[in-house]
Amino acid sequence: MYIIKFTGAPMAVSARDVIPLSQARANLSELADQVKAGAEKIVTKNGESYVAIIDAQRLDYYHQLERERIHLLLIDDATKGLADVAAGNVKDARSALEARKRRRTEEMG
């Protein structure tokens, strides 16, 4: 069994699911049928992971999960911001920006 890490969590795949690009080219129709039946394939190029072949519905599901995750992060940030406002941890935007510009000018000069 191999663990292949992409941008997210490691994904467990078996050796039969790791295919060189040359073999994938020659057997694309068969690979597509296997993926449609539930398998996920990792295509390698020069011995390194290159692309994954997954079912289109599963890809849509992964995209939906990512959108939901982003929304949850935004809600968390907004909740923290509202808590800061309620606690009085606020600054005037104009004066904060001017102070930041002054610090940058001092650092560069």
Side-chain angles (χ1 to χ4, degrees):
M1 183 163 287
Y2 296 92
I3 300 293
I4 308 270
K5 184 170 182 181
F6 293 101
T7 57
M11 172 177 81
V13 294
S14 68
R16 70 180 177 279
D17 294 327
V18 179
I19 299 119
L21 182 58
S22 58
Q23 183 182 345
R25 267 192 226 118
N27 300 310
L28 185 58
S29 181
E30 179 184 327
L31 288 174
D33 290 341
Q34 291 173 15
V35 167
K36 191 64 180 164
E40 292 181 344
K41 301 294 181 178
I42 304 300
V43 178
T44 61
K45 183 175 181 181
N46 300 323
E48 301 206 9
S49 61
Y50 187 56
V51 296
I53 303 174
I54 64 170
D55 180 73
Q57 288 179 332
R58 188 172 294 189
L59 179 62
D60 288 343
Y61 175 70
Y62 291 162
H63 286 190
Q64 178 185 356
L65 288 177
E66 183 61 19
R67 283 190 303 273
E68 289 174 5
R69 180 180 162 277
I70 289 168
H71 291 154
L72 289 173
L73 291 171
L74 289 171
I75 290 169
D76 187 52
D77 284 347
T79 301
K80 289 176 184 175
L82 290 171
D84 280 343
V85 169
N89 298 330
V90 296
K91 293 182 180 179
D92 176 67
R94 188 167 292 132
S95 60
L97 288 172
E98 288 172 4
R100 184 176 178 132
K101 286 179 186 177
R102 278 194 305 275
R103 279 194 309 271
R104 280 191 178 171
T105 302
E106 291 170 2
E107 290 173 358
M108 298 175 85

